[in-house]
């Protein structure tokens, strides 16, 4: 299998270099699914509301769609398919869920890609940096031995489609703002249909020596979290658009300070909230509520503070 041979080639390189580049690959990979989201949120709050919202909306759509694809395909990780694959470092501990497509890449793709698209004319250097970071993140999943090339390539395709769809949607809603309600309702309904689908669909139940190879209940945790983005975003956007209507704080000492203040609770929630909610609600609904609360905070709740300090947008 060419994909396994490619991973073994990278594995031999890691061994030959005594894992010299492994820590870097682990960090850039982990950053994508932990704190990367803080960048488009800061842009949304402080720099440019439209560009930040575009990156965030693309991210929510891509993650939700990726969850449906992943839990439909149910493809096992490379080391399950071939025991010769030995993931680097502690990558195997953070590589939860099924393998196809790559969740890390489908997270990094719409965020880095959304920023790159938004600033391709105004700050082309920033766009290039984002694309390089995306390429490194995608490659790191192969380098660490936790994803095959097709896992990464399909996740990049999902990212590109999400960015394209949201770009066209934003353009259409700019000319037809009265249609936004229908778009949000459609996204909300699709999110709940996705929850129902991943809950009741059949999953492979492969046993080895009497032990279940992969427990689908554990695999569904991330699916609940990712599809909740499709449910939370329409509600948060409706709240912000109808009652908050903030304008970006602006790239000034005051605006940056406001953004930094809002980032502190966001950082704390990203670091600690999921574990606490899992303990209270169980892993499925804990993951769901974690992302639900994060979206509400980023899109609608902290913008209330910004609107009180910096004023509201012109309703026109």
């Amino acid at each position: 299998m060419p994909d396994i041979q490619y991973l073994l080639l990278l594995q031999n390189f890691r061994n030959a270099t005594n894992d010299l580049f492994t820590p870097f690959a682990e960090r850039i990979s982990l950053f994508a699914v932990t704190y990367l989201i803080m960048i488009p949120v800061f842009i949304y709050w402080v720099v440019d509301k439209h560009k930040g919202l575009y990156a965030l909306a693309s991210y929510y759509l891509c993650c939700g769609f990726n969850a449906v694809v992943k839990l439909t395909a149910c493809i096992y990780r490379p080391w399950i398919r071939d025991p010769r694959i030995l993931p680097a470092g502690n990558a195997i501990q953070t590589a939860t869920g099924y393998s196809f497509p790559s969740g890390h890449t489908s997270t990094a793709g719409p965020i880095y890609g959304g920023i790159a698209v938004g600033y391709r004319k105004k700050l082309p250097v920033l766009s290039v940096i984002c694309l390089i970071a995306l390429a490194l993140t995608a490659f790191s999943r192969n380098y660490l031995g936790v994803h095959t090339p097709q896992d990464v390539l399909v996740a990049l395709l999902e990212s590109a489609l999400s960015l394209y769809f949201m770009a066209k949607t934003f353009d259409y809603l700019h000319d037809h703002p009265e249609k936004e309600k229908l778009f949000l309702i459609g996204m909300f309904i699709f999110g709940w249909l996705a929850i129902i689908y991943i809950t009741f669909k059949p999953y492979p139940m492969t046993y080895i020596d009497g032990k279940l190879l992969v427990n689908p209940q554990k695999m569904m945790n991330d699916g609940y979290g990712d599809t909740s983005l499709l449910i939370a975003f329409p509600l948060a956007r409706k709240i912000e658009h109808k009652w908050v209507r903030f304008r970006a704080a602006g790239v000034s000492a005051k605006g940056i300070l406001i953004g930094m203040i809002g980032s502190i609770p966001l950082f704390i929630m990203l670091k600690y909230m999921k574990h606490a909610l899992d303990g209270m609600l169980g892993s499925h609904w804990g993951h769901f509520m974690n992302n639900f609360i994060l979206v509400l905070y980023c899109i609608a709740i902290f913008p209330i503070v910004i609107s009180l300090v910096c004023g509201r947008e012109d309703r026109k």
Side-chain angles (χ1 to χ4, degrees), residues 41-48 248-252 255-256 258-260 306:
V41 170
F42 189 86
I43 293 173
Y44 174 67
W45 288 345
V46 177
V47 184
D48 189 308
V251 185
S252 62
I256 293 173
I258 292 172
M260 292 175 64
I306 300 175

Side-chain angles (χ1 to χ4, degrees), residues 7-254:
L7 296 185
L8 288 172
L9 178 66
L10 293 177
Q11 183 171 299
N12 291 335
F13 177 81
R14 293 199 315 266
N15 294 335
T17 56
N18 197 27
D19 281 320
L20 177 63
F21 303 103
T22 296
F24 173 76
E26 287 180 316
R27 290 188 183 98
I28 194 170
S29 184
L30 182 62
F31 178 73
V33 292
T34 51
Y35 305 117
L36 175 59
I37 188 63
M38 297 180 72
I39 297 177
V41 170
F42 189 86
I43 293 173
Y44 174 67
W45 288 345
V46 177
V47 184
D48 189 308
K49 182 179 178 181
H50 182 270
K51 288 182 172 63
L53 188 65
Y54 168 66
L56 289 169
S58 300
Y59 159 69
Y60 298 147
L61 177 64
C62 189
C63 285
F65 181 73
N66 181 75
V68 174
V69 175
K70 184 185 289 281
L71 293 177
T72 297
C74 296
I75 295 176
Y76 293 143
R77 292 282 180 173
W79 62 86
I80 297 178
R81 294 174 51 203
D82 193 316
R84 293 176 297 171
I85 300 296
L86 301 174
N90 66 346
I92 194 171
Q93 298 172 3
T94 59
T96 59
Y98 294 110
S99 185
F100 173 89
S102 166
H104 285 66
T105 307
S106 63
T107 295
I111 294 179
Y112 283 130
I115 297 172
V117 170
Y119 287 94
R120 66 188 184 280
K121 295 180 180 179
K122 190 174 182 180
L123 293 172
V125 174
L126 176 61
S127 295
V128 171
I129 292 173
C130 286
L131 292 177
I132 292 174
L134 173 56
L136 289 173
T137 303
F139 175 71
S140 73
R141 305 310 290 160
N142 294 151
Y143 186 81
L144 293 172
V146 294
H147 279 292
T148 62
Q150 55 266 33
D151 295 343
V152 168
L153 291 174
V154 171
L156 289 173
L157 176 61
E158 289 177 336
S159 301
L161 291 175
S162 297
L163 289 166
Y164 178 80
F165 176 80
M166 278 301 172
K168 292 299 182 182
T169 299
F170 273 43
D171 288 343
Y172 178 79
L173 294 179
H174 180 269
D175 297 329
H176 306 277
E178 73 281 358
K179 300 294 185 179
E180 182 174 0
K181 182 178 179 180
L182 294 176
F183 166 74
L184 295 177
I185 291 174
M187 193 173 186
F188 182 84
I189 293 174
F190 178 72
W192 279 114
L193 290 176
I195 288 286
I196 295 171
Y197 170 71
I198 66 175
T199 300
F200 295 104
K201 70 170 291 291
Y203 291 90
M205 304 291 286
T206 305
Y207 287 86
I208 296 181
D209 297 328
K211 184 179 180 180
L212 186 61
L213 184 60
V214 174
N215 186 346
Q217 291 300 316
K218 292 183 178 179
M219 304 302 104
M220 289 162 58
N221 292 339
D222 289 339
Y224 268 66
D226 290 340
T227 51
S228 75
L229 300 172
L230 301 174
I231 297 168
F233 175 69
L235 294 176
R237 171 59 184 168
K238 182 64 177 179
I239 292 170
E240 191 285 319
H241 184 64
K242 186 172 183 178
W243 291 294
V244 183
R245 302 189 69 89
F246 81 106
R247 68 167 182 259
V251 185
S252 62
K254 177 183 176 182

